[in-house]
Amino acid sequence: MHPLKRFVPLDKALHDRAAFDCGKPELNTFIQRNAAQNMKAKLNYTWVLPAAKIPRGEKKPVCAYYTLSICHVERQTLPDEPGKRYPNYPLPVFILARLAVDKRCQGQKLGSVTLISALRRCAILSQGGKVPAIAVILDVPDADALQFYQRFGGFRELKTSEGESSRLFIPMKVVEKL
């Protein structure tokens, strides 16, 4: 299965979510059952990379997807940055909550393409203060995801409470250089 060249907003009328399988049940369930509902409720937004060359009238399989949201983080949870002082109140950030590549497309470097697309979208949204944010936070569900993100450099771990899943931090000034 070969992907199109660009990510588009998820549209349940156009995209075949049911066949998506990245090997991680929680990510499969999200795209299949929750992503469209969350978009409608304005909780987060999901972009998909559909497959190319699908017969007319059929839904396009999803090769990869990512989900973005916004929130605030406490200054105390941020990693120390030399020469950078943040105010002592909650700070706006983007959250890259989910990122997945269908098994049929793995090995084509789509994980990297998907991550870069997500980060660039955050940079575009923050330009001109449309959606102010100081950073992008990545939710890291497991060791495989942590290893994947660490290959890119520039990410630092957030200070989390005991038992919380890991989160990574990348300043918006780094994201804007992509």
Side-chain angles (χ1 to χ4, degrees):
M1 180 163 63
H2 295 288
L4 288 176
K5 299 248 186 248
R6 66 184 181 93
F7 283 82
V8 296
L10 172 66
D11 183 336
K12 64 183 187 177
L14 299 176
H15 303 121
D16 180 9
R17 301 164 296 139
F20 185 86
D21 182 9
C22 68
K24 307 258 181 197
E26 64 279 2
L27 294 172
N28 296 339
T29 299
F30 178 79
I31 189 76
Q32 293 163 355
R33 297 186 188 154
N34 305 106
Q37 291 174 321
N38 285 4
M39 287 173 64
K40 186 175 180 181
K42 299 189 186 300
L43 299 175
N44 51 44
Y45 210 83
T46 299
W47 283 268
V48 299
L49 185 61
K53 299 183 183 175
I54 301 303
R56 185 173 233 107
E58 289 186 25
K59 288 185 176 184
K60 293 183 178 194
V62 174
C63 295
Y65 80 90
Y66 63 87
T67 300
L68 295 175
S69 187
I70 54 172
C71 75
H72 289 88
V73 294
E74 296 297 326
R75 180 185 61 82
Q76 297 83 352
T77 65
L78 297 176
D80 295 326
E81 284 189 77
K84 187 71 174 176
R85 294 187 61 197
Y86 292 113
N88 196 19
Y89 51 79
L91 302 163
V93 295
F94 286 101
I95 300 285
L96 175 52
R98 289 172 189 82
L99 183 152
V101 176
D102 189 279
K103 285 183 190 177
R104 298 168 289 179
C105 297
Q106 291 176 2
Q108 300 178 35
K109 300 196 183 281
L110 287 185
S112 300
V113 168
T114 304
L115 176 60
I116 290 168
S117 176
L119 294 174
R120 284 184 176 157
R121 182 147 335 259
C122 291
I124 290 167
L125 289 169
S126 72
Q127 286 177 347
K130 294 177 200 167
V131 181
I134 63 154
V136 178
I137 305 293
L138 289 78
D139 281 338
V140 183
D142 56 35
D144 292 337
L146 181 60
Q147 183 179 11
F148 169 74
Y149 292 131
Q150 287 178 331
R151 289 191 328 226
F152 292 90
F155 295 106
R156 301 203 328 254
E157 286 199 55
L158 278 182
K159 301 168 190 168
T160 57
S161 299
E162 188 72 30
E164 288 184 342
S165 59
S166 182
R167 287 185 142 182
L168 297 177
F169 168 92
I170 185 168
M172 193 56 69
K173 64 182 178 191
V174 174
V175 172
E176 290 168 349
K177 293 177 183 176
L178 294 175

